[in-house]
């Protein structure tokens, strides 16, 4: 009788351990995937900063205006308006997409 309970308890412990370890392993991501995600984020931010720096030097900033995402609007030499997205790409805007920047409130 004791042997039956002993084997039953061991079988239950084995199955529960097996189920818990299989669930835990499904949620993990490999080191390579984590490094890849981080590298993409760093690369996108580097590109964004570089393009914004170039735009501030080479092009004019549209005073009092902002892009749909709230960032600065730049005007290039051909009078085209654009903003820099999160990946460092230039997104050209139509006049209807450019918004007036709200005035800062003085306290």
């Amino acid at each position: 009788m004791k042997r039956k309970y002993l084997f039953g308890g061991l079988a239950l412990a084995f199955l529960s351990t097996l189920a818990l370890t299989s669930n835990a392993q499904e949620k993990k991501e490999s080191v390579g995937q984590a490094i890849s995600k981080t590298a993409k984020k760093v690369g996108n931010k580097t590109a964004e900063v570089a393009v914004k720096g170039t735009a501030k030097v080479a092009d004019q900033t549209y005073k009092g205006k902002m892009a749909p995402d709230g960032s600065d609007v730049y005007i290039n030499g051909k009078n085209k308006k654009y903003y820099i997205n999160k990946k460092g790409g230039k997104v050209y805007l139509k006049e209807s997409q450019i918004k007036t920047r709200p005035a800062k409130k003085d306290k």
Side-chain angles (χ1 to χ4, degrees), residues 27-84:
K27 295 179 185 177
K28 289 183 182 178
E29 68 179 30
S30 71
V31 174
Q33 289 174 339
I35 291 173
S36 176
K37 284 182 182 180
T38 305
K40 284 182 184 177
K41 287 180 184 178
V42 169
N44 288 341
K45 191 64 177 177
T46 303
E48 180 186 4
V49 170
V51 173
K52 280 187 177 181
T54 303
K56 286 192 187 271
V57 171
D59 298 330
Q60 296 177 351
T61 304
Y62 202 171
K63 302 283 184 200
K65 301 293 183 176
M66 67 179 187
D69 68 347
S71 62
D72 291 337
V73 177
Y74 301 100
I75 305 171
N76 67 6
K78 296 180 181 178
N79 204 25
K80 291 187 176 181
K81 285 94 177 160
Y82 66 92
Y83 73 99
I84 312 298

Side-chain angles (χ1 to χ4, degrees), residues 7-23:
F7 284 129
L10 287 174
L12 183 63
F14 176 73
L15 290 176
S16 64
T17 304
L18 183 65
L20 290 176
T21 56
S22 66
N23 284 340

